[in-house]
Amino acid sequence: MKLTTAGESHGKGLFAILEGVPAGLKLDVSLIDAALARRQSGYGRGGRQKIESDRVELLSGVRDLVTLGSPIALAVWNRDYENWKEVMAPEGCDRSQRQLTKVRPGHADLAGALKFGAQDARDVLERASARETAARVAAGEICRAFLNEMNITVTGYVRSLGRVCDEKQYSFAQIEGGRRPLLGMMDGAAEEAAVALIEEAKREGDTLGGVTELRVKGLKSGFGSPMTYAEKLDARVAAALMSVQAVKGVEVGGGFSLAQAKGSAAHDEIFAEEGNFFRRTNRAGGIEGGMSNGEELVFRAAMKPIPTLMKGLKTVDLATGLPAVAAPERSDVCAVTACEAVLESALCFVLADVLAERLGGDTLAQVKERYERL
Ligand code: EPS
């Protein structure tokens, strides 16, 4: 499979072309729209989400809500474009307005302006913005529908927000049924503390990050390969998760904590019952030797605090070369809940890609038959 996205945060919209989805997959647009709504959710989001009410528009590759095997093109239109077309229109606009030269530490502004030779960091930040993830979520949800046909399901939750951390362990079913709507956390007391922290950050003109946990149930063993480094499942998932805006760390299973344990406490002993192999622990996060081992996949991703701070950090004005305070663009205080939704979609794409690669097939029926035979 191949996924390409295009679009600027305040341009006409966000677009995706998804190639390699087999023919015969039934799509439910309301499920894609629900995922887009989840991407807009979470306590602490900024004013933009009050303007947008993201919906997918399927443009090609689908007939009567069933995939044709051809590239699927889709759009998520920006309502806010109406307010920005004077400074963003591809056909011609006034570039002198809404320039951003007081580059924000942590954002793509400075490195991007230097790399692309831009006088106005808007030429870069519009694309670097996390609004791009609307296209990735829409495409990722098509991949999720494909995975669901093989009974492979993906879920996740917000494990920590700032210094508030929920250390408890949850089963896949608990996460699916128990994720709280306000922040996508599992524990009520932790969520209350996180809301208070967001309030505090908002008052201070500051921002917050957090950690999300992702789970995959139903993936059979043998996906990914140790034969070449680029085929390793953990490497591919890590790259996909790391590509989501503001993600600074990815863990698989026990992740960093395994480095502190002795080998006897870091691996998952193997048992068999009536010819079926199983483990009683899952520290490997379902991946050994770069291959799925049939256990649940477990990943964690750390999102840094959003780099647009209302209180502004020290920086330099690109236009004058003088010290300045970074531009306080409208922004979110915290978007970890949205990040979790995006990460699920990004994970769905990479898993669908790995599946399609190993199983081939022009039609969904062929893919399903091959999967069942494994
Ligand atoms: C986003 C929309 C953006 C930001 C956010 C993500 O809206 P606006 O810039 O119009 O307020 O809220 O972008 C960033 C965090 C960023 O760093 O650019 C969205 O829909 O996800």
Side-chain angles (χ1 to χ4, degrees):
M1 284 191 191
K2 187 175 168 200
L3 173 60
T4 307
T5 69
E8 280 75 41
S9 181
H10 303 100
K12 294 185 185 189
L14 289 311
F15 312 96
I17 296 184
L18 178 62
E19 295 174 46
V21 178
L25 174 67
K26 179 120 187 59
L27 299 182
D28 182 339
V29 170
S30 71
L31 291 181
I32 304 176
D33 286 342
L36 287 170
R38 202 152 85 75
R39 195 204 71 88
Q40 291 196 269
S41 74
Y43 191 76
R45 299 304 303 273
R48 179 70 182 274
Q49 307 311 326
K50 295 193 180 73
I51 299 171
E52 305 296 344
S53 175
D54 292 338
R55 297 264 185 283
V56 69
E57 184 176 347
L58 298 170
L59 299 172
S60 78
V62 179
R63 187 172 181 210
D64 195 23
L65 290 173
V66 179
T67 60
L68 297 169
S70 49
I72 299 170
L74 59 86
V76 177
W77 302 103
N78 281 331
R79 282 196 185 166
D80 208 15
Y81 179 64
E82 277 308 304
N83 307 316
W84 284 79
K85 61 183 172 197
E86 274 172 39
V87 291
M88 287 301 294
E91 303 86 351
C93 62
D94 178 1
R95 294 179 53 94
S96 68
Q97 288 183 55
R98 303 192 81 148
Q99 291 200 350
L100 191 142
T101 58
K102 293 171 183 161
V103 288
R104 294 162 296 172
H107 214 291
D109 301 351
L110 179 58
L114 297 176
K115 175 178 168 69
F116 294 99
Q119 313 285 311
D120 175 6
R122 185 159 304 285
D123 286 350
V124 177
L125 73 90
E126 284 285 339
R127 180 64 189 150
S129 163
R131 181 128 185 93
E132 181 266 344
T133 60
R136 264 199 279 178
V137 165
E141 291 310 299
I142 294 173
C143 297
R144 189 195 295 266
F146 172 69
L147 295 172
N148 286 350
E149 289 286 339
M150 261 83 51
N151 289 320
I152 301 166
T153 45
V154 174
T155 192
Y157 68 102
V158 173
R159 196 173 149 82
S160 74
L161 199 149
R163 60 177 182 264
V164 176
C165 186
D166 177 5
E167 303 275 4
K168 289 195 280 304
Q169 299 298 321
Y170 299 101
S171 70
F172 192 97
Q174 280 174 319
I175 299 169
E176 266 198 319
R179 187 170 54 202
R180 304 170 68 83
L182 196 57
L183 280 171
M185 295 184 86
M186 294 294 297
D187 182 77
E191 191 169 86
E192 242 175 70
V195 166
L197 198 61
I198 292 170
E199 286 295 331
E200 179 190 293
K202 191 175 182 178
R203 278 195 303 275
E204 293 168 349
D206 221 322
T207 57
L208 290 162
V211 175
T212 62
E213 182 168 303
L214 304 166
R215 303 275 192 88
V216 181
K217 199 178 76 177
L219 182 67
K220 294 189 179 185
S221 69
F223 286 89
S225 173
M227 298 305 170
T228 62
Y229 65 84
E231 286 178 284
K232 291 185 181 190
L233 183 61
D234 38 7
R236 289 173 73 165
V237 170
L241 301 185
M242 194 61 98
S243 78
V244 172
Q245 286 82 340
V247 170
K248 280 295 202 186
V250 175
E251 285 187 313
V252 182
F256 278 60
S257 72
L258 294 180
Q260 293 164 17
K262 289 195 173 142
S264 54
H267 299 292
D268 307 305
E269 291 182 305
I270 302 169
F271 304 90
E273 233 166 50
E274 289 163 16
N276 292 321
F277 300 111
F278 69 96
R279 339 246 161 169
R280 298 192 207 278
T281 53
N282 187 16
R283 294 152 180 150
I287 301 181
E288 288 171 308
M291 294 168 286
S292 57
N293 66 8
E295 301 294 322
E296 254 179 42
L297 304 188
V298 182
F299 305 103
R300 260 174 245 109
M303 182 194 197
K304 70 180 178 181
I306 285 170
T308 311
L309 275 69
M310 295 316 287
K311 72 173 172 190
L313 295 174
K314 288 193 189 88
T315 188
V316 173
D317 191 331
L318 267 185
T320 61
L322 296 172
V325 174
E329 288 258 298
R330 168 183 67 194
S331 181
D332 308 294
V333 176
C334 179
V336 181
T337 311
C339 185
E340 193 281 313
V342 174
L343 288 164
E344 280 190 34
S345 302
L347 183 54
C348 286
F349 167 70
V350 79
L351 293 176
D353 187 23
V354 168
L355 239 87
E357 202 175 272
R358 185 172 181 207
L359 301 174
D362 299 306
T363 67
L364 179 66
Q366 285 167 347
V367 181
K368 281 175 79 165
E369 200 257 326
R370 290 169 188 179
Y371 189 72
E372 271 150 34
R373 265 198 281 127
L374 287 174

